[in-house]
C-alpha cells in the first residue's frame, strides 16, 4: 500500500468531518482511506498540465434575482423538527 | 386487463374514459403494497391516508376537466431523498428518522400539478451512497425477480416498486448511476436527464454537481411522459436550465433509420459478464436491423471515471452533509459534553458506515495540502472525460453499452469490499461527470432469470435521440426478451 494514513491524519480528518470514531473504526478508516487513495492515485497517470479544472459541465455564472420574500412565516413548523427548542429558538449545549 | 398491470399512460387514459378512477387505482395499489411489501421492502413510508385523500381530490379535478394531462390520476412512488411537505423524509438514514419537511421538492410539485397521487417514499442507500440499497437504515430491499438478490441502488426501492407493480411509476435520483443501475437489475426503464433539466430544489444533496432526478417506469413511453412533466426551469435551483424542445413524448417514434450508434470497446472489456455482453450486443444488432448505423469505437479514459467520481462526489458529500448536526432537525445524541461533542456524537451515531467513509474521504481530499493533488486533479480529469465524450458525439448520435457489468448480485455480497462495489459503477459514472443524459431499458435475462439492462447515452440536451432509439428497440424487442 502506497498511502499510509497516520494516526495524526485520521485524527485531523475526524475533526474536519466532525465525526467521533472508536479505536476500531479509526483503524478501519485508516485502511479504507489508504486503499481508496491508492486507487485514486491512478489519476496521476494522466497528464493534466494546462487542463482547466471543470467544476460544472456548463459554464455556470452567478444567477441573480430580486431579493423578494416569497415564503411565509414557517417558524412553528420548522421548530417542530428541532431536537430541542424553547421560546421560538433552537436550543444548543453551551458553546464554551 | 388488471388495472395494476397497466402502464402509467394506460391508467390515466382509462381514468379519463371512466373505466376506472384514481381512487380505485390507489386503493388497489395500496392493498397490493400491503400484501407484498413485507417481502420486498420497497417503501420506507407508505402514506395510505394521504394517498386516498389526494386520489379523491385529483379524481374530482379530472371529472371537472381541470386535469387533462397524460399522467393525471396515476399513483407514484417517490425516492426518500426528495422532500415532501408533511410526509417524513429520511434519506434512509437514522439521522433523519423523524424529519418532516415543511416544503415539497420542485420535481414532486411538478408531478402534483400534473395530477399525481403520491403513495409513499421508497427505500434507498443511505444518502444515495451505495449500489445495492443495503446501506439503508430501514432494511434491505429485495429484487422482485429473485428475493435473494439486491435491487441495485441507490434508487433500489423505486426500481423494485416499479418491477413489483407496487406503483405505476417511480422517481429516483442519479449521481453516479443510481437510476440506471437499479433499472438494469430490476428490468425496468430508468432515465437520468441532462444535468440541469430537472430542478434539484428539495432533493437532499449528495454530490450537487452530479445529482439529477429522473423517472423509473414500466416502458419507454411512460419514461418520456414522466420526464416531460418533471422538466422545468426553476429559479430556486441556480443550476437549472431553461430548456427548449422539451416535448419528449414527440420522440416516441418507431424510427431509428440513419441513427448513428457507437459502442465503446472500453465498455465490453475485462470484468463484463459474458451473458450481459451477449444480450447488449444482440440489442445492438436489433437496432442495426431496423436501420441504425452501428459501429465500435474507442472512447478512452473509461477507467479514470471511477477514481475521479469518488473524489468529487466524496468532496461534495462531505460539504453537503455538514448540515446534519443535531440542531435544526433529525437525530441528536442522548448524552454529550458541550456543543462540539454533541455535533460529533450525533453525526457518528446517526450516519452509517458507508456515509462516514465518504465524508472522511471527502474531508481529506478537500483539506489544505491535499486539495490540489486530489480534488483539483479529479476536476481536470473530469474535463478530459467530457472532451472524450464531445469527440464521440461528433461521430455518433447515441452511445450504446451495458448499464452494469453483471446482473444483480446476491444480498450480502457487495458491502465487504467498497472498491469492488465502486467498480460496478464503471459504465454509468462517466455520464454524470460529463452531465449527459442516459437511459437504461431491459434487453434480456441471464440464465438465472435476472434482468439485463441496455444503456443508451446521449449528448447534452439530446434526450429525444435516446427516447427514439429506446422506443425503436423496445417496439421490436419482443416479449421473450423483456
Amino acid at each position: 500500500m502506497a498511502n499510509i494514513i497516520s494516526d495524526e491524519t485520521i485524527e485531523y480528518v475526524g475533526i474536519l468531518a466532525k465525526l467521533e470514531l472508536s479505536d476500531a473504526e479509526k483503524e478501519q478508516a485508516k485502511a479504507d482511506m489508504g486503499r481508496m487513495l491508492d486507487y485514486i492515485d491512478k489519476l496521476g497517470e494522466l497528464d493534466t498540465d494546462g487542463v482547466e479544472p471543470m467544476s460544472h459541465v456548463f459554464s455556470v455564472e452567478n444567477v441573480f434575482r430580486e431579493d423578494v420574500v416569497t415564503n411565509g412565516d414557517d417558524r412553528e413548523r420548522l421548530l417542530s423538527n428541532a431536537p430541542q427548542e424553547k421560546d421560538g429558538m433552537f436550543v444548543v449545549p453551551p458553546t464554551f | 386487463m388488471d388495472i395494476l398491470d397497466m402502464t402509467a399512460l394506460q391508467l390515466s387514459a382509462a381514468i379519463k374514459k371512466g373505466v376506472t378512477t384514481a381512487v380505485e387505482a390507489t386503493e388497489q395499489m395500496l392493498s397490493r403494497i400491503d400484501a407484498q411489501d413485507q417481502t420486498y421492502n420497497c417503501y420506507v413510508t407508505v402514506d395510505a391516508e394521504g394517498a386516498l385523500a389526494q386520489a379523491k381530490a385529483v379524481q374530482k379535478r379530472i371529472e371537472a376537466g381541470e386535469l387533462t394531462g397524460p399522467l393525471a390520476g396515476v399513483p407514484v412512488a417517490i425516492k426518500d431523498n426528495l422532500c415532501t411537505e408533511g410526509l417524513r423524509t429520511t434519506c434512509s438514514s437514522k439521522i433523519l428518522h423523524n424529519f418532516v419537511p415543511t416544503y415539497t421538492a420542485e420535481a414532486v410539485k411538478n408531478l402534483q400539478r400534473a395530477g399525481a397521487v403520491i403513495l409513499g417514499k421508497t427505500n434507498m442507500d443511505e444518502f444515495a451512497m451505495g449500489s445495492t440499497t443495503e446501506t439503508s437504515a430501514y432494511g434491505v430491499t429485495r429484487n422482485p425477480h429473485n428475493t435473494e438478490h439486491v435491487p441495485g441502488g441507490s434508487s433500489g426501492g423505486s426500481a423494485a416498486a416499479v418491477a413489483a407493480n407496487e406503483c405505476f411509476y417511480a422517481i429516483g435520483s442519479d449521481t453516479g448511476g443510481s437510476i440506471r443501475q437499479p433499472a438494469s437489475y430490476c428490468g425496468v426503464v430508468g432515465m437520468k436527464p441532462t444535468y440541469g433539466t430537472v430542478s434539484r430544489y428539495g432533493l437532499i444533496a449528495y454530490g450537487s454537481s452530479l445529482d439529477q432526478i429522473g423517472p423509473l417506469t414500466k416502458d419507454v413511453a411512460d419514461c418520456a411522459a414522466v420526464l416531460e412533466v418533471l422538466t422545468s426551469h426553476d429559479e430556486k435551483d441556480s443550476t437549472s436550465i431553461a430548456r427548449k424542445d422539451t416535448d419528449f413524448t414527440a420522440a416516441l417514434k418507431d424510427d431509428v433509420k440513419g441513427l448513428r450508434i457507437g459502442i465503446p470497446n472500453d465498455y465490453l472489456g475485462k470484468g463484463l459478464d459474458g451473458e450481459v455482453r451477449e444480450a447488449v450486443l444482440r440489442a445492438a444488432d436489433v437496432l442495426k436491423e431496423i436501420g441504425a448505423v452501428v459501429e465500435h469505437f474507442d472512447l478512452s479514459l473509461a477507467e479514470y471515471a471511477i477514481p475521479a467520481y469518488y473524489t468529487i462526489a466524496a468532496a461534495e458529500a462531505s460539504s453537503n452533509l455538514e448540515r446534519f448536526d443535531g440542531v435544526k432537525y433529525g437525530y441528536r445524541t442522548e448524552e454529550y459534553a458541550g456543543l462540539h461533542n454533541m455535533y460529533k456524537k450525533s453525526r457518528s451515531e446517526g450516519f452509517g458506515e458507508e456515509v462516514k467513509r465518504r465524508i472522511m474521504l471527502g474531508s481529506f481530499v478537500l483539506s489544505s495540502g491535499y486539495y490540489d493533488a486530489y480534488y483539483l486533479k479529479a476536476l481536470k480529469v473530469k474535463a478530459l472525460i467530457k472532451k472524450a465524450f464531445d469527440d464521440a458525439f461528433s461521430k455518433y448520435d447515441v452511445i450504446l453499452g451495458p448499464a452494469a457489468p453483471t446482473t444483480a448480485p446476491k444480498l450480502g455480497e457487495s458491502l465487504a469490499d467498497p472498491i469492488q462495489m465502486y467498480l460496478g459503477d464503471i459504465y454509468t459514472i462517466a455520464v454524470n461527470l460529463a452531465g449527459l443524459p442516459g437511459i437504461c431499458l431491459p434487453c434480456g435475462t441471464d440464465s438465472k432469470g435476472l434482468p439485463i439492462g441496455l444503456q443508451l447515452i446521449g449528448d447534452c440536451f439530446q434526450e429525444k435521440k435516446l427516447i427514439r432509439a429506446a422506443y425503436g428497440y423496445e417496439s421490436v424487442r419482443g416479449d421473450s426478451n423483456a
Side-chain angles (χ1 to χ4, degrees), chain B residues 79 81 127-128 154 173-180 192 203 206-212 309 313 316 428-429 432-433:
Chain B
K79 188 175 180 178
N81 60 352
F127 283 101
S154 67
S173 68
D174 190 316
T175 307
S178 283
I179 289 175
R180 291 159 288 150
K192 174 222 169 284
L203 170 70
Y206 161 22
S208 309
S209 75
L210 307 161
D211 297 337
Q212 260 301 281
Y309 169 86
E316 293 185 11
T428 49
I429 234 160
N432 299 77
L433 288 172

Side-chain angles (χ1 to χ4, degrees), chain B residues 2-241:
Chain B
D2 185 341
I3 61 169
L4 294 186
D5 292 329
M6 288 180 178
T7 66
L9 289 173
Q10 286 169 344
L11 177 69
S12 186
I15 292 171
K16 277 186 209 88
K17 270 193 236 155
V19 178
T20 183
T21 64
V23 178
E24 189 186 15
T26 304
E27 279 170 349
Q28 287 198 23
M29 198 49 98
L30 288 169
S31 356
R32 167 74 64 98
I33 294 168
D34 196 42
Q36 65 180 38
D37 205 46
Q38 294 239 318
T39 308
Y40 301 130
N41 195 34
C42 302
Y43 287 88
V44 175
T45 306
V46 177
D47 183 24
E49 206 180 310
L52 284 170
Q54 294 168 63
K56 280 178 195 154
V58 162
Q59 181 63 33
K60 261 193 200 152
R61 295 184 57 207
I62 292 171
E63 285 167 13
E66 292 167 23
L67 277 173
T68 54
L71 293 173
V74 183
V76 58
I78 307 287
K79 188 175 180 178
D80 209 17
N81 60 352
L82 284 150
C83 286
T84 40
E85 184 177 345
L87 182 59
R88 184 174 78 132
T89 300
T90 69
C91 251
S92 284
S93 181
K94 179 181 169 186
I95 211 159
L96 284 177
H97 70 104
N98 57 359
F99 174 59
V100 180
T102 56
Y103 67 100
T104 296
E106 190 67 15
V108 178
K109 276 204 158 160
N110 286 342
L111 296 175
Q112 289 174 326
R113 286 183 198 110
V117 174
I118 293 162
L119 292 162
K121 309 298 291 288
T122 55
N123 201 13
M124 55 186 279
D125 282 296
E126 184 182 4
F127 283 101
M129 297 178 193
S131 311
T132 64
T133 310
E134 291 173 297
T135 70
S136 168
Y138 303 97
V140 301
T141 295
R142 290 170 182 274
N143 191 315
H145 293 271
N146 183 331
T147 54
E148 297 296 302
H149 291 254
V150 304
S154 67
S155 309
S158 287
V162 175
N165 264 352
E166 290 188 15
C167 62
F168 291 91
Y169 68 103
I171 301 303
S173 68
D174 190 316
T175 307
S178 283
I179 289 175
R180 291 159 288 150
Q181 184 256 34
S184 180
Y185 286 179
C186 290
V188 302
V189 177
M191 187 176 208
K192 174 222 169 284
T194 305
Y195 186 76
T197 300
V198 180
S199 168
R200 294 182 294 106
Y201 179 75
L203 170 70
I204 298 174
Y206 161 22
S208 309
S209 75
L210 307 161
D211 297 337
Q212 260 301 281
I213 295 161
L216 289 127
T217 58
K218 293 181 183 179
D219 68 10
V220 177
D222 276 5
C223 179
V226 176
L227 181 62
E228 210 167 287
V229 169
L230 287 174
T231 300
S232 66
H233 179 232
D234 182 9
E235 278 195 341
K236 298 186 293 303
D237 171 1
S238 62
T239 61
S240 169
I241 294 170

Side-chain angles (χ1 to χ4, degrees), chain B residues 260-275:
Chain B
R260 297 166 303 165
I261 297 177
I263 306 174
N265 293 316
D266 333 43
Y267 282 22
L268 299 173
K270 211 178 102 205
L272 178 62
D273 176 83
E275 289 186 275

Side-chain angles (χ1 to χ4, degrees), chain A residues 13 17-18 20 32 35 37 39-40 42-43 45-46 48 54-55 57-58 77 81 83-84 91 94, chain B residues 85 100 102 195 303-304 327 329 332 339-340 345 347-348 357 360 377 379 382 386 417 423 434:
Chain A
V13 174
K18 286 255 182 290
E20 185 178 74
D32 284 350
R35 270 192 74 202
L37 293 176
Y39 180 56
I40 292 171
K42 188 173 175 56
L43 298 178
E45 294 170 8
L46 292 174
T48 51
M54 178 186 265
S55 50
V57 177
F58 310 117
R77 289 203 305 159
N81 271 310
Q84 219 185 324
V91 176
Chain B
E85 184 177 345
V100 180
T102 56
Y195 186 76
E303 65 202 297
Y304 298 98
V327 174
Y329 36 65
R332 178 184 285 192
L339 183 67
H340 286 275
K345 281 189 74 186
R347 289 166 60 79
S348 303
R357 186 180 290 127
M360 291 287 282
K377 178 79 184 181
L379 292 184
K382 175 178 168 170
K386 171 78 170 118
D417 185 348
L423 288 175

